[in-house]
Amino acid sequence: MKITPSSISLVSFIRRHQWLVLILVLATWLLFFRTSHGDLLGDDALYSTRSIGMLDLAFTVIQPTPLQWYDAYPWWANLSWHDHPVLLFFIQHLSLSISPTEFFAKLPYALMTLGSVILMYVWTKGLFGKSIGLLAALLFTLDAHAIYLGRTALMESGVMFFILLTFCSWLAFVREKKYWWLFGLSLGLLLETKFTAFFVLPTLLVYTFIHARALFKEKRFYCAFALAMVVFLPVIIYNGMMYADRGHFALQFARLFHESSPWQLSGVNEFTIRNVSAFAQSIGQSVSFPYLFLFVTSLLYVFAYHRRLAAWPLLGLLFVTIEDLTISTKGLSSLFIPVIVAIAFHYGTLSWQRRYRFVTAGFLIAYLFLFTVNSNLLVSPSGRAGWWHDNGGQRNYGAAQLNQYLDTLEATVPDLGRFDQYDVLKIRKPSLHKYLLANIVDPDKRDVLNMKKIIVFDQNILWFSQVWLFARRGFYHDLAIFSTIELPKEARALFSPETVYFIRATEFAPLDPSWKQSQSPGQWEAPLLAAGLTPVLIARDDGGIAFKVYTITDPAIIVGYGFLRQ
């Protein structure tokens, strides 16, 4: 084997940073082990569906978008979206361009979580030294909530990455003013992730006022913020154009300022006991009780003995808490940055004897490892919630397995029915034209050709899962796919299917909270059971049958559903 300078430098780097490398290996295993088995059950299902085609469409009537308002998609609507900036959507779009699967939907966020481990080390090392930096990186890796976010396609892990990138670049700028551009660029990108990241601005400004006041006299300090605003300029233009044309800002700002808008969303909350209770409940569902106790004691220790250095965790905690109490507890993920800093600094500066520190560190690391594995990697967590696992974690309810079945069905049944339900929207934006059916001539005409094989799914399935499993295929693949409630009656008069694939959800599937109130899917299944049809069974990881897929080819049954005209 030929030894090259690059291989020598790599070996040298690993030797110098062997503990960090081991932490990254552990983080990689925690993030990627069976990650594709986790279902997309919330906003991650909607975000992933939209990212595939860079599509600003919420698939619901309560959140209309410019794509639905304008016959010709306006130029400014490409600069941002109605609810969030586009940076994280674009990053996920690049990943999903490889393959539109659960794994590639989560891949960028898993990689950004790995990057966050490195950035946590770089930042805390720069503040407090190498040993505390390594401990902070390890604590971040063993944080069950951070790992959970890295195993989903939620934006919060991307926000954490850019927060830590901004903190690292700020530290570099404070020490060497030539890095003003890096700080400005990082801050601008952070603001382009999600609007809840704005809490970083007061944290930085207040810390600068307390401990680095001389920066306010530094020209490059203002140049950095000017650069950040240039990076954020597309969102500013988008909101200005929307206000000029529609009389309100984009969704999050309309909510912030209590504007009248078509989105039917409440404004920013006031401080109430109810908010405090919801905030405390969110923390209790995301953190182990011993870990929470350790954080409180660490924060008290830092504040009592190292007040100057306590500014970072204290300010971060203050502004994240305000955000969570007034806007949304989704920002709770950012709370764990000051939590980890406080604990790492507390333990790293204690004057215990070395052997006691190693013993207690061993117990802490072992406990956090078991807690994180139990919360995120096991099929069914064991033990008492709050002590041995959290109430979050990635779960499998069979949606990932159903998605694989549908992929196989598309690949093996090439003559599945096609029905473009979204052609009017696609024609409005040039980048969406590629998703139009090739045989569409008149955009106002629905395609009713090749409808011999259609898919009908149980309307009781969780709405977010419906978006990822079915609406995604309806929009991007133009499949003739309908729920048991939305199958258009006018369509029944236009086509006569020869095969119907009916997907029935069981009590083990991801279900809408009101699923027991709807009897329609059961009425669909009754004649199938009477006819003795044997369905394909879709099982969850724990063996529970989540879905039953019936292939209906009997004309008598299809006539009974009203598809065939008699």
Side-chain angles (χ1 to χ4, degrees), residues 173 177-186 220 223-224 227:
F173 165 60
K177 301 302 182 290
K178 66 180 181 179
Y179 292 116
W180 66 270
W181 62 271
L182 180 61
F183 168 54
L185 179 62
S186 301
R220 282 171 288 189
C223 290
L227 177 58

Side-chain angles (χ1 to χ4, degrees), residues 120 123-124 127-128 136 139-140 143 160 163-164 167 199-200 203 279 291 294-300 302 309-321 323-324 331-346:
M120 177 64 80
W123 178 48
T124 50
L127 287 173
F128 311 122
L139 289 173
F140 189 93
D143 188 296
M160 280 199 295
I163 287 175
L164 289 168
F167 285 169
F199 83 90
V200 170
T203 303
F279 179 59
Y291 193 58
L294 180 59
F295 165 60
V296 173
T297 56
S298 297
L299 196 62
L300 292 174
V302 173
L309 296 177
W312 278 111
L314 281 175
L315 289 172
L317 177 65
L318 172 64
F319 289 110
V320 173
T321 302
E323 173 202 359
D324 289 328
L332 182 66
S333 57
S334 303
L335 175 65
F336 296 99
I337 294 176
V339 167
I340 290 168
V341 172
I343 294 176
F345 183 80
H346 177 198

Side-chain angles (χ1 to χ4, degrees), residues 138-411:
L138 181 58
L139 289 173
F140 189 93
T141 298
L142 297 178
D143 188 296
H145 193 68
I147 294 299
Y148 158 69
L149 292 173
R151 291 173 61 86
T152 68
L154 293 170
M155 290 182 173
E156 278 64 32
S157 53
V159 174
M160 280 199 295
F161 171 82
F162 283 100
I163 287 175
L164 289 168
L165 180 62
T166 300
F167 285 169
C168 288
S169 61
W170 184 90
L171 190 61
F173 165 60
V174 169
R175 293 178 175 177
E176 293 190 58
K177 301 302 182 290
K178 66 180 181 179
Y179 292 116
W180 66 270
W181 62 271
L182 180 61
F183 168 54
L185 179 62
S186 301
L187 180 59
L189 291 175
L190 171 62
L191 299 180
E192 282 278 0
T193 59
K194 200 173 182 182
F195 296 127
T196 52
F198 269 80
F199 83 90
V200 170
L201 282 174
T203 303
L204 289 171
L205 291 174
V206 173
Y207 185 89
T208 302
F209 179 79
I210 295 174
H211 295 303
R213 200 171 303 179
L215 282 178
F216 288 112
K217 299 179 181 180
E218 173 62 52
K219 181 177 68 174
R220 282 171 288 189
F221 179 75
Y222 299 99
C223 290
F225 278 93
L227 177 58
M229 289 302 102
V230 170
V231 176
F232 189 62
L233 188 60
V235 176
I236 297 175
I237 295 175
Y238 179 93
N239 278 271
M241 295 299 296
M242 179 172 284
Y243 188 86
D245 203 39
R246 307 289 302 184
H248 58 79
F249 293 119
L251 186 149
Q252 302 298 349
F253 289 114
R255 181 169 178 257
L256 177 66
F257 298 120
H258 295 262
E259 290 182 319
S260 175
S261 73
W263 295 306
Q264 305 174 27
L265 296 173
S266 59
V268 173
N269 302 317
E270 298 177 354
F271 282 97
T272 65
I273 297 299
R274 184 177 180 180
N275 291 343
V276 174
S277 175
F279 179 59
Q281 184 179 6
S282 297
I283 293 177
Q285 292 175 346
S286 305
V287 188
S288 70
F289 298 142
Y291 193 58
L292 186 60
F293 173 77
L294 180 59
F295 165 60
V296 173
T297 56
S298 297
L299 196 62
L300 292 174
Y301 165 81
V302 173
F303 184 70
Y305 296 103
H306 302 275
R307 293 186 181 181
R308 180 179 179 85
L309 296 177
W312 278 111
L314 281 175
L315 289 172
L317 177 65
L318 172 64
F319 289 110
V320 173
T321 302
I322 292 173
E323 173 202 359
D324 289 328
L325 288 174
T326 58
I327 301 178
S328 169
T329 53
K330 287 186 178 180
L332 182 66
S333 57
S334 303
L335 175 65
F336 296 99
I337 294 176
V339 167
I340 290 168
V341 172
I343 294 176
F345 183 80
H346 177 198
Y347 188 82
T349 56
L350 281 177
S351 58
W352 298 351
Q353 291 187 20
R354 186 172 182 178
R355 58 184 177 184
Y356 295 134
R357 292 175 67 181
F358 276 113
V359 170
T360 54
F363 277 111
L364 174 63
I365 292 170
Y367 169 74
L368 292 177
F369 175 78
L370 293 174
F371 187 92
T372 300
V373 169
N374 196 21
S375 299
N376 291 290
L377 271 63
L378 299 187
V379 173
S380 298
S382 58
R384 188 175 179 181
W387 293 96
W388 293 107
H389 67 87
D390 61 22
N391 289 323
Q394 199 176 32
R395 300 289 178 259
N396 176 263
Y397 295 96
Q401 288 86 340
L402 179 58
N403 190 44
Q404 292 177 356
Y405 171 85
L406 292 172
D407 284 341
T408 302
L409 186 68
E410 286 191 73

Side-chain angles (χ1 to χ4, degrees), residues 420 423-424 426-427 433 436-449:
D420 197 342
D423 55 355
V424 173
K426 296 174 188 176
I427 204 69
H433 289 181
L436 287 163
L437 280 178
N439 58 359
I440 286 185
V441 177
D442 182 356
D444 295 324
K445 179 183 178 181
R446 301 288 185 182
D447 177 56
V448 295
L449 304 177

Side-chain angles (χ1 to χ4, degrees), residues 496-516:
S496 301
E498 298 174 353
T499 303
V500 176
Y501 297 94
F502 173 53
I503 301 171
R504 173 70 162 130
T506 75
E507 66 272 20
F508 296 107
L511 299 172
D512 186 272
S514 61
W515 73 279
K516 290 185 178 180

